[in-house]
């Protein structure tokens, strides 16, 4: 073979090898995209608060004596009027009977004095006795009336003291552990605390609202035409620390008339039904109060959001299937969906899956899905 033929064969082989190893770019990565969900949302004021009893009373011994009996089990629920403690009633029963006897004697004395006054009045009219005799009879009658009145008051006072020997529940509630033992002298010098009774149904939730939120909510309520009386019907929702969401529903009960200068907040209180006594005074709770309703709000899955030093962003695919990074302002969370306040349009295609392959400035192969607003899942 000639040198020329060999060179020709070598060149042809090299060209053939180059054609077989030519670079073929990979296809664009596949991503899943969806358009923002549009729906009506309720805006809430969210804060934290604490639970407090609607009624809490210290049970005290209002009369002096030895504690005769404790008539309940510590920490149990009792009905209004239940006798909880008995304090040496016999002494006060005797004092009541003594006062009643004095009252009867005073009644008899008054009856006699009135009869004598009537008789002396008739005699004076017939000029059978002097005026001084009638004056003495009048004084005797008046003294008898005063004595009878005093006897009546003594009887009522004795009845009250006798009633205090039975310490009863002023309302339905849970009674704390007793603080005095049977046989102990109580009520000496000052009232002795025996226990505490607490009403748990309903129950209060106390929380504070910042000055900025107060102004914002007032403007919104004024815009909606809500009157001061209707504010008390505004619903309030709370959730315990171990609960999901806000399962306990109540209503606004009290708003402080003044803002605290030290904290710059307004004290607010809600009231809640608590039949199973799951909420106890002192518990910290999450609180939310609805104050506005927004129609056609835009929402995207919360997992589609990213963040950097400039804030939150989403990745969107434009009309040429090129990924763009879009800065957004976010709002509250609705289930698994996040409200987007600004930065998105209803027809934007937001990357919701395959985020690692979605690089701003590069093409992708988008697959359009639909987000179900009810459960925030893409189907």
């Amino acid at each position: 073979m000639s040198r020329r033929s060999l060179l020709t064969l070598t060149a042809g082989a090299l060209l053939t090898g180059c054609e077989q190893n030519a670079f073929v770019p990979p296809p664009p990565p596949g991503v899943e995209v969806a358009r923002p969900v549009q729906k009506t949302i309720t805006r809430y004021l969210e804060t934290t608060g604490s639970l407090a009893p609607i009624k809490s009373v210290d049970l005290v011994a209002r009369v002096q004596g030895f504690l005769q009996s404790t008539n309940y089990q510590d920490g149990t629920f009792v009905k209004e009027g239940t006798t909880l403690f008995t304090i040496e009633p016999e002494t006060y029963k005797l004092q009541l009977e003594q006062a009643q006897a004095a009252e009867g004697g005073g009644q008899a004395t008054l009856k006699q004095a009135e009869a004598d006054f009537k008789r002396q009045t008739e005699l004076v009219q017939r000029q059978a006795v002097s005026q001084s005799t009638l004056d003495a009879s009048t004084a005797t009658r008046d003294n008898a009336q005063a004595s009878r009145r005093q006897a009546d008051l003594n009887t009522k006072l004795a009845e009250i003291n006798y009633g205090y020997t039975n310490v009863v529940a002023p309302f339905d509630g849970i009674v704390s552990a007793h603080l005095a033992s049977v046989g102990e002298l109580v009520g000496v010098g000052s009232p002795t605390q025996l226990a505490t009774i607490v009403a748990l149904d309903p129950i209060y939730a106390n929380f504070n609202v910042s000055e900025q939120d107060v102004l914002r909510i007032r403007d919104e309520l004024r815009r909606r035409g809500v009157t001061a009386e209707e504010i008390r019907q505004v619903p309030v929702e709370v959730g315990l620390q171990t609960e999901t969401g806000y399962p306990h529903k109540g209503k606004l009960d009290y708003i402080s008339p003044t803002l605290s200068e030290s904290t710059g907040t307004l004290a607010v209180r809600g009231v809640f039904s608590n039949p199973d006594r799951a909420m106890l005074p002192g518990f910290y709770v999450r609180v939310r109060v609805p104050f506005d309703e927004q129609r056609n709000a835009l929402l995207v899955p919360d997992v589609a959001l990213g963040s950097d030093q400039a804030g939150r962003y989403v990745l969107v695919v434009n009309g040429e299937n090129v990924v763009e990074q879009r800065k957004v302002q976010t709002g509250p969370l609705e289930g698994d969906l996040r409200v987007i306040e600004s930065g998105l349009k209803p027809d934007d295609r937001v990357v919701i899956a395959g985020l690692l392959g979605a690089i701003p400035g590069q093409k992708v192969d988008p697959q359009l899905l639909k987000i179900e607003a009810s459960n925030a899942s893409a189907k």
Side-chain angles (χ1 to χ4, degrees), residues 285-305:
V285 291
R286 293 170 288 104
V287 184
R288 73 175 186 180
V289 182
F291 68 90
D292 187 21
E293 190 174 80
Q294 179 182 351
R295 299 182 181 276
N296 297 322
L298 299 181
L299 300 93
V300 299
D302 196 45
V303 295
L305 285 158

Side-chain angles (χ1 to χ4, degrees), residues 170-192:
F171 48 78
D172 296 352
I174 304 292
V175 187
S176 71
H178 63 278
L179 303 177
S181 300
V182 172
E184 184 176 344
L185 182 62
V186 296
V188 180
S190 62
T192 303

Side-chain angles (χ1 to χ4, degrees), residues 33-36 315-322 345 347-351 366 368:
V33 297
R35 290 188 171 86
L315 299 177
V316 299
V317 178
N318 63 20
E320 298 177 355
N321 291 340
V322 176
K345 298 187 294 294
D347 57 349
D348 281 334
R349 294 183 296 173
V350 180
V351 179
L368 185 63

Side-chain angles (χ1 to χ4, degrees), residues 88-377:
E88 197 176 3
E90 188 61 29
T91 299
Y92 295 93
K93 182 180 179 182
L94 292 175
Q95 290 178 359
L96 173 59
E97 292 175 351
Q98 185 180 34
Q100 289 172 339
E103 184 180 7
Q107 176 64 30
T109 301
L110 176 60
K111 184 177 181 180
Q112 180 182 5
E114 287 178 340
D116 182 72
F117 172 76
K118 183 178 181 180
R119 183 168 55 254
Q120 296 300 331
T121 301
E122 293 176 351
L123 292 175
V124 167
Q125 291 176 351
R126 295 199 300 266
Q127 297 182 352
V129 296
S130 65
Q131 181 64 39
S132 61
T133 302
L134 177 59
D135 293 342
S137 180
T138 301
T140 301
R141 183 205 60 179
D142 293 343
N143 287 332
Q145 288 177 341
S147 297
R148 170 58 195 277
R149 178 60 177 165
Q150 182 64 49
D152 289 345
L153 296 176
N154 290 338
T155 299
K156 290 180 180 179
L157 183 61
E159 286 177 348
I160 292 173
N161 288 332
Y162 180 54
Y164 286 158
T165 62
N166 289 322
V167 180
V168 300
F171 48 78
D172 296 352
I174 304 292
V175 187
S176 71
H178 63 278
L179 303 177
S181 300
V182 172
E184 184 176 344
L185 182 62
V186 296
V188 180
S190 62
T192 303
Q193 183 176 349
L194 304 175
T196 300
I197 183 171
V198 180
L200 299 180
D201 183 25
I203 194 168
Y204 287 140
N206 295 312
F207 55 97
N208 294 312
V209 181
S210 68
E211 181 178 358
Q212 183 179 2
D213 287 333
V214 170
L215 295 174
R216 180 162 55 95
I217 293 173
R218 286 183 60 186
D219 289 342
E220 176 59 28
L221 295 178
R222 188 181 299 110
R223 184 185 66 80
R224 292 163 51 189
V226 177
T227 64
E229 292 75 15
E230 293 172 336
I231 290 179
R232 288 187 174 272
Q233 302 304 317
V234 171
V236 182
E237 302 173 359
V238 301
L240 301 176
Q241 300 301 316
T242 57
E243 294 176 330
T244 301
Y246 301 82
H248 305 283
K249 315 296 181 184
K251 64 179 182 179
L252 207 60
D253 177 70
Y254 168 77
I255 301 175
S256 174
T258 59
L259 201 72
S260 171
E261 294 184 1
S262 59
T263 63
T265 59
L266 190 71
V268 184
R269 184 178 70 198
V271 62
F272 298 82
S273 176
N274 189 31
D276 56 357
R277 297 190 286 277
M279 298 187 288
L280 297 179
F283 277 0
Y284 285 97
V285 291
R286 293 170 288 104
V287 184
R288 73 175 186 180
V289 182
F291 68 90
D292 187 21
E293 190 174 80
Q294 179 182 351
R295 299 182 181 276
N296 297 322
L298 299 181
L299 300 93
V300 299
D302 196 45
V303 295
L305 285 158
S307 60
D308 56 20
Q309 293 181 345
R312 305 301 299 274
Y313 66 85
V314 294
L315 299 177
V316 299
V317 178
N318 63 20
E320 298 177 355
N321 291 340
V322 176
V323 177
E324 297 177 355
Q325 181 174 299
R326 190 76 58 78
K327 298 296 180 183
V328 294
Q329 295 293 327
T330 60
L333 196 63
E334 292 276 328
D336 294 332
L337 300 180
R338 176 71 65 176
V339 176
I340 304 300
E341 304 285 8
S342 63
L344 274 185
K345 298 187 294 294
D347 57 349
D348 281 334
R349 294 183 296 173
V350 180
V351 179
I352 62 174
L355 293 169
L356 293 178
I359 300 175
Q362 295 189 8
K363 280 195 172 186
V364 292
D365 180 18
Q367 180 184 359
L368 185 63
L369 302 180
K370 182 179 180 181
I371 304 174
E372 294 293 339
S374 58
N375 56 12
S377 61

